[in-house]
Amino acid sequence: MVENGHGHGHGHGHHHPPSAAPPPSIIHPPLGAARGPAFPPSEQLLQLNYCIHSNPSWGQTVLLAFQHYIVMLGSVVMIATMLVPQMGGNHGDKARVIQATLFMSGLNTLLQTLIGTRLPTVMGPSFAYLLPVLSIINDFADEDFPSEHQRFLHTMRAIQGSLIVSSFINIILGFSRAWGDFTRLFSPVIIVAYICVVGLGLSGRGFPQLGNCVEIGLPMLIFLVVFQQYMKHLHNRAHPILERFALLFCVALVWAFAALLTVAGAYNNVGNKTKLSCRTDRSYLMESAPWIKMSYPFQWGTPIFRASHVFGMMGAVLVTTVESTGTFIAASRFSGATPPPAHVLSRSIGFQGIGQLLDGAFGSIVGTTASVENVGLLGLTHVGSRRVVQVSAAFMFFFSIFGKFGAFFASIPLPIFAAIYCVLYGLVAAVGVTFIQFTNNNSMRNIYILGLSLFLGISIPQYFVMHTDLVTGRGPVNSDGVWFNDILNTIFSSPPVVAMIVGTILDNTLDAHDSREDRGVPWWVPFQHRKGDSRNEEFYSFPLRIHEYMPNRYL
């Protein structure tokens, strides 16, 4: 018996050489896979010390809340400093405008954290309103008034009227749920570029403003990085203190240094612009602010309603809707919450409209938006607690009523704030990048959409800002209809709006159906529905028994 072919071959005397075995196939691992750990996608940031509904001790809560107040104060002072003198207002008028804006920021912050998004976001004045407000100022520039103060009051009343009427855009967009339905077109690919430019688009308020007084701004930036990031590792006890409160230490230190330079006469023989930026006594707020003054409805007089002003303001309302939405999504990441569902975004924009209606009634100089710098502060301190932000609203109320105390902190030189913005805006831009983990990073389609959205989101607004006169408010769109110009110039001056438009169009038209997995849609969609993810209820449900009095569609 022959058991195999080899035996059979030998039996016939034939010799076949053994066939060579095929070489073993080499399986190449993905490039770099063997060189280190691969980090799986994570829906929540793991290094947060306190998330949205966990709270530090009351002592720390109060200090952290005060820090939020200091950070949001920069925008309030900057906007009042830019607009009030052009309106004919004096230092006393500027102090009262700051008080009214602070009061409304506190009210809107409470409104959003209690029944709006429920996210820990400070609501502050928006720069998007500058162009329409400048147009209103120009409308009255040639008219004769008995005094400059009368011109200021007349302009304020016109701003109030346009804020009140244009606020209905947000109210309708929000409470009709149209805005939430629109946001369902988003995917993580769009979110990356969109939130990136929420931070990067504000770069003009960072180093360019810091450069107005380098000897104060640069030490502030260096100290903040060194104290907050490096020195916290020196001692275990120093770690939590410096991580959470380094910003307050640095502001106090550099502000004292600026005061010493001012008193020593370092700025006696310099240009007016340097004096305004560097001196601690150039705001004149301490001398002109009242000791105690409550903001109340129609404190500047009866609002003036003019159609052209209202239409111009509508562009700014749309811009703040887009900017706030991006800021809310960034805040959800820094506070350890799930991305806000569509119905929550609708609800928040509706309440933002009600907030703007109150802005107009109480005489704030511009409308409200979610403060990007305060969301950056959540990331800097690793504290995303809702209670901290609610307590910061109490500081806004206190300092808006007791004017002298508020004016003391409002006299911090603006380059100090600019140095803080360099860090905080960067953090918001970076948290946008983290959403890329839920998409296919290696998809050329995604890379194309991201690249174009990011670049145009920064480049187009830069063109509009470069060609806009900040005295007259005239921009590149310059037709006979001033209100039409204001709408387009305001919309295209906003980086988040441009990035969102470009990203949404491209992502929903370029192979959208075939690229669902690459776009991260299966991960994103459950968060957009009320019952899509069980955690939505945990983060976004109303406190106490408010849900019993609200229509179900807004819960």
Side-chain angles (χ1 to χ4, degrees), residues 96-111:
R96 284 188 291 281
V97 164
I98 288 173
Q99 282 179 273
T101 308
L102 268 180
F103 182 82
M104 285 314 304
S105 295
L107 196 60
N108 282 312
T109 299
L110 278 185
L111 199 63

Side-chain angles (χ1 to χ4, degrees), residues 45-51 54 239-240 243-244 381-384:
L45 298 173
L46 304 177
Q47 291 92 352
L48 293 175
N49 296 322
Y50 297 95
C51 67
S54 57
H239 191 286
E243 186 172 79
R244 287 170 212 170
T381 57
H382 300 186
V383 177

Side-chain angles (χ1 to χ4, degrees), residues 145-213:
F145 292 100
S147 66
E148 281 293 279
H149 183 66
Q150 286 298 316
R151 183 162 78 89
F152 165 77
L153 288 176
H154 194 81
T155 310
M156 273 304 299
R157 288 162 58 203
I159 292 169
Q160 279 184 270
S162 56
L163 280 174
I164 288 169
V165 178
S166 61
S167 69
F168 285 94
I169 295 278
N170 268 349
I171 293 172
I172 293 166
L173 271 179
F175 292 129
S176 70
R177 296 178 68 180
W179 182 249
D181 291 341
F182 172 72
T183 61
R184 287 182 179 165
L185 293 173
F186 295 170
S187 74
V189 175
I190 300 168
I191 295 296
V192 173
Y194 180 14
I195 297 179
C196 265
V197 297
V198 166
L200 295 180
L202 297 168
S203 56
R205 281 159 59 190
F207 207 89
Q209 296 281 342
L210 181 155
N212 290 338
C213 192

Side-chain angles (χ1 to χ4, degrees), residues 141-472:
D142 299 328
E143 292 189 23
D144 287 330
F145 292 100
S147 66
E148 281 293 279
H149 183 66
Q150 286 298 316
R151 183 162 78 89
F152 165 77
L153 288 176
H154 194 81
T155 310
M156 273 304 299
R157 288 162 58 203
I159 292 169
Q160 279 184 270
S162 56
L163 280 174
I164 288 169
V165 178
S166 61
S167 69
F168 285 94
I169 295 278
N170 268 349
I171 293 172
I172 293 166
L173 271 179
F175 292 129
S176 70
R177 296 178 68 180
W179 182 249
D181 291 341
F182 172 72
T183 61
R184 287 182 179 165
L185 293 173
F186 295 170
S187 74
V189 175
I190 300 168
I191 295 296
V192 173
Y194 180 14
I195 297 179
C196 265
V197 297
V198 166
L200 295 180
L202 297 168
S203 56
R205 281 159 59 190
F207 207 89
Q209 296 281 342
L210 181 155
N212 290 338
C213 192
V214 177
E215 61 269 33
I216 291 173
L218 202 55
M220 178 67 204
L221 178 57
I222 293 168
F223 285 170
L224 184 55
V225 174
V226 171
F227 274 66
Q228 212 262 343
Q229 293 296 323
Y230 292 94
M231 290 184 70
K232 71 180 181 183
H233 297 296
L234 294 180
H235 196 280
N236 286 342
R237 283 190 178 174
H239 191 286
I241 296 169
L242 286 175
E243 186 172 79
R244 287 170 212 170
F245 307 112
L247 191 143
L248 281 181
F249 296 149
C250 295
V251 168
L253 190 66
V254 178
W255 190 17
F257 173 61
L260 276 174
L261 288 178
T262 303
V263 172
Y267 301 118
N268 288 353
N269 302 310
V270 294
N272 206 37
K273 188 179 178 185
T274 307
K275 281 183 181 175
L276 280 172
S277 298
C278 300
R279 290 184 72 100
T280 54
D281 59 357
R282 291 301 284 183
S283 62
Y284 301 109
L285 292 173
M286 283 295 290
E287 306 89 58
S288 49
W291 276 104
I292 298 176
K293 185 171 175 64
M294 278 284 290
S295 294
Y296 54 91
F298 311 118
Q299 58 184 334
W300 309 110
T302 313
I304 297 169
F305 301 98
R306 190 181 286 186
S308 60
H309 296 164
V310 172
F311 283 123
M313 200 67 86
M314 283 179 181
V317 172
L318 292 171
V319 166
T320 54
T321 300
V322 175
E323 290 179 348
S324 288
T325 302
T327 311
F328 291 143
I329 296 170
S332 70
R333 192 105 175 100
F334 275 139
S335 60
T338 54
H343 72 281
V344 170
L345 290 175
S346 279
R347 189 172 81 198
S348 70
I349 295 306
F351 280 113
Q352 187 170 305
I354 289 174
Q356 188 182 315
L357 183 68
L358 295 171
D359 284 335
F362 278 82
S364 177
I365 197 165
V366 291
T368 305
T369 190
S371 168
V372 179
E373 51 267 36
N374 288 87
V375 170
L377 189 59
L378 301 177
L380 189 75
T381 57
H382 300 186
V383 177
S385 167
R386 185 191 290 131
R387 181 189 285 171
V388 167
V389 170
Q390 289 171 335
V391 174
S392 77
F395 279 107
M396 295 173 216
F397 287 136
F398 177 84
F399 289 114
S400 72
I401 294 167
F402 298 97
K404 291 284 188 200
F405 297 105
F408 175 67
F409 292 106
S411 60
I412 297 172
L414 292 178
I416 291 179
F417 288 113
I420 295 170
Y421 295 159
C422 289
V423 176
L424 300 185
Y425 292 156
L427 279 169
V428 174
V431 88
V433 177
T434 66
F435 282 91
I436 204 167
Q437 66 189 307
F438 307 115
T439 69
N440 180 358
N441 300 341
N442 299 310
S443 159
M444 283 304 296
R445 171 198 177 276
N446 288 358
I447 291 169
Y448 178 84
I449 293 170
L450 274 176
L452 203 56
S453 305
L454 274 171
F455 188 80
L456 291 181
I458 292 171
S459 190
I460 291 175
Q462 186 181 19
Y463 168 79
F464 273 77
V465 169
M466 282 169 61
H467 292 86
T468 297
D469 186 340
L470 274 181
V471 177
T472 62

Side-chain angles (χ1 to χ4, degrees), residues 131 475 477-491:
L131 290 185
V477 180
N478 200 0
S479 66
D480 292 336
V482 176
W483 61 269
F484 177 76
N485 301 341
D486 286 344
I487 288 176
L488 288 187
N489 286 327
T490 302
I491 285 174

